[in-house]
Amino acid sequence: MPNGDNWQGDVLRDLRGASGPPAAGTGGPPASVPPAPPSAAQAAGTEHIPAPTQPPGTAPTPTPQQIPAPPRPRRPSAPDSRAVVDSALSGVVRRPQRGEPVAVRVARAVRRIVSSSSAREVAELTRTAEALQQPVTTGRQIAVTSIRGGAGKTTVAALLGTAYAHYRQDPVLLVEADPALGSLPLRLGAETLRWTTADLADIVEPQMSLLDVTGYLVQLPENAWLLPGSQGQIGAMLDTSTYERVMVALRRYFGVTVVDCETLPAEVARVALSASQARVLAAPATLDGVTSTYAVLQWMQGLPRHMIEGTVVVLSSTVARPGIDVEAAAEKLRSTGVGVHVLPYDRHLAAGGVLRTELLARPTRLAATRLAAEVFQLSQKRR
């Protein structure tokens, strides 16, 4: 395990294959051993005294060579790769569109030219990037969950993981802890899946290097990796002991880990929220979404203080004109002690396909970057 404040550099060198040559003399056949010289008694012709025998009726004591070694745990056999999108559905995908129309982009560009906001925006982005690039001494784990499905949970997890992979130099991991047909691999552009979260619980060992571990993961752009929760099929649910083994084993290899959890109140989601250094609660910008989220935050106020202080709520607008006052709803949620970020409506995100950051609307990119910076800073406060 790398130690010190420069462990990120150590694992990156490991990732690039900076391993030394094998030690000289290993792997060859053992040298022949000459027979032992005769003892003094044998040389003098002294009568040999036999070893004492055991009483009759008792089993012979096994020698060390006869004691069987304990069986080694069997690793799961390598599963077959499966496509993320079935070939029968490949024809239904349309060309992805940009997050906002051309007219809106042109109008925003003109406003930036004639106003003085451009310099302020650059300064803010610089501060945000510096916050995202702060070093860590131990891996930070960030859990993303929601009250119900369709709240934008997986989209938020994908945006966070993409932002950390873009700004940070140490390895970033995205874990899908929602095996019931989760969509994180699709959002991240993975083409095939093989090993899953449950598989890795029986594989990762303390002596493994980063290169060994990443061999079981799906590689993503910009020094990021994905650990899927399933192979796109409904199977056994992920239990808490398996989740804990995986997260404890992988934490030492990655600077930041983003976990796409099940919806609350699932047991694994509750364990992930309590074990992570920061939590993100995704909610749709609707009346029922805000109401249910507010009820959960009131419940969290009765938990240890660090739980709600380390939580950020993301209100996602799923339509161009939400049916509520989003800013007023955000202020109501902030009154419980959490940070609240608003993710504006974006046509590219709403399509539900592969996330391509270059197609996101500018307000969406800025909002996602600010969210990633605040969540990372919260994770730094909790050891």
Side-chain angles (χ1 to χ4, degrees):
M1 167 66 189
N3 51 42
D5 293 336
N6 195 31
W7 70 273
Q8 297 99 328
D10 295 335
V11 295
L12 284 177
R13 284 192 296 272
D14 185 14
L15 182 63
R16 297 189 182 102
S19 58
T26 60
S32 59
V33 180
S39 63
Q42 292 173 333
T46 308
E47 181 182 1
H48 174 67
I49 301 176
T53 60
Q54 293 182 326
T58 60
T61 303
T63 62
Q65 293 80 3
Q66 295 174 331
I67 299 177
R72 294 174 60 87
R74 294 183 59 187
R75 290 188 176 183
S77 58
D80 296 329
S81 297
R82 294 183 61 90
V84 174
V85 179
D86 194 285
S87 58
L89 300 174
S90 58
V92 305
V93 182
R94 291 182 175 178
R95 181 180 179 182
Q97 58 181 347
R98 289 188 173 272
E100 54 187 357
V102 177
V104 176
R105 300 200 303 271
V106 172
R108 178 177 293 109
V110 172
R111 288 196 302 270
R112 293 179 67 237
I113 292 174
V114 301
S115 67
S116 59
S117 61
S118 181
R120 292 196 302 270
E121 185 176 294
V122 170
E124 180 187 0
L125 286 175
T126 302
R127 291 193 299 270
T128 303
E130 291 175 352
L132 286 168
Q133 294 168 351
Q134 290 297 313
V136 296
T137 54
T138 56
R140 305 286 89 187
Q141 294 182 359
I142 298 167
V144 183
T145 188
S146 62
I147 308 302
R148 59 177 177 82
K153 167 180 66 70
T154 299
T155 299
V156 172
L159 288 171
L160 287 175
T162 302
Y164 294 134
H166 177 71
Y167 283 99
R168 299 190 60 80
Q169 294 185 354
D170 47 14
V172 174
L173 176 65
L174 291 99
V175 175
E176 186 180 47
D178 186 0
L181 296 179
S183 58
L184 185 61
L186 185 142
R187 288 301 244 171
L188 294 172
E191 296 182 356
T192 58
L193 305 177
R194 194 171 190 180
W195 302 95
T196 66
T197 306
D199 294 331
L200 233 63
D202 300 321
I203 293 176
V204 179
E205 299 175 352
Q207 70 271 18
M208 294 176 67
S209 67
L210 178 62
L211 281 175
D212 297 329
V213 172
T214 54
Y216 296 97
L217 306 177
V218 179
Q219 187 167 7
L220 302 172
E222 296 186 303
N223 206 30
W225 281 266
L226 165 67
L227 178 57
S230 69
Q231 286 191 329
Q233 294 177 320
I234 298 177
M237 301 302 292
L238 184 67
D239 60 85
T240 56
S241 61
T242 301
Y243 173 80
E244 290 173 345
R245 292 204 312 273
V246 168
M247 299 308 293
V248 170
L250 294 180
R251 181 176 176 177
R252 60 189 290 259
Y253 298 99
F254 299 93
V256 180
T257 299
V258 179
V259 185
D260 181 16
C261 301
E262 297 175 293
T263 56
L264 290 171
E267 187 176 6
V268 172
R270 297 199 305 269
V271 171
L273 291 177
S274 61
S276 59
Q277 285 78 42
R279 291 150 291 280
V280 178
L281 191 59
T286 59
L287 181 57
D288 62 336
V290 173
T291 301
S292 58
T293 302
Y294 184 67
V296 170
L297 294 177
Q298 288 179 313
W299 166 75
M300 290 180 65
Q301 287 180 318
L303 301 177
R305 188 65 185 171
H306 74 269
M307 289 292 293
I308 199 163
E309 290 179 347
T311 300
V312 175
V313 174
V314 179
L315 282 178
S316 301
S317 299
T318 56
V319 293
R321 293 180 60 86
I324 62 172
D325 186 338
V326 179
E327 291 300 330
E331 284 300 322
K332 184 64 177 177
L333 296 177
R334 289 189 185 101
S335 66
T336 62
V338 300
V340 180
H341 285 252
V342 176
L343 194 62
Y345 172 74
D346 189 290
R347 296 189 308 178
H348 180 63
L349 290 181
V354 178
L355 175 63
R356 294 175 53 181
T357 55
E358 71 275 11
L359 297 181
L360 293 174
R362 185 173 184 80
T364 305
R365 292 199 301 269
L366 295 176
T369 306
R370 296 189 191 104
L371 170 65
E374 179 173 341
V375 174
F376 179 72
Q377 287 178 319
L378 288 177
S379 72
Q380 290 280 63
K381 297 179 181 179
R382 182 72 180 172
R383 297 300 174 185

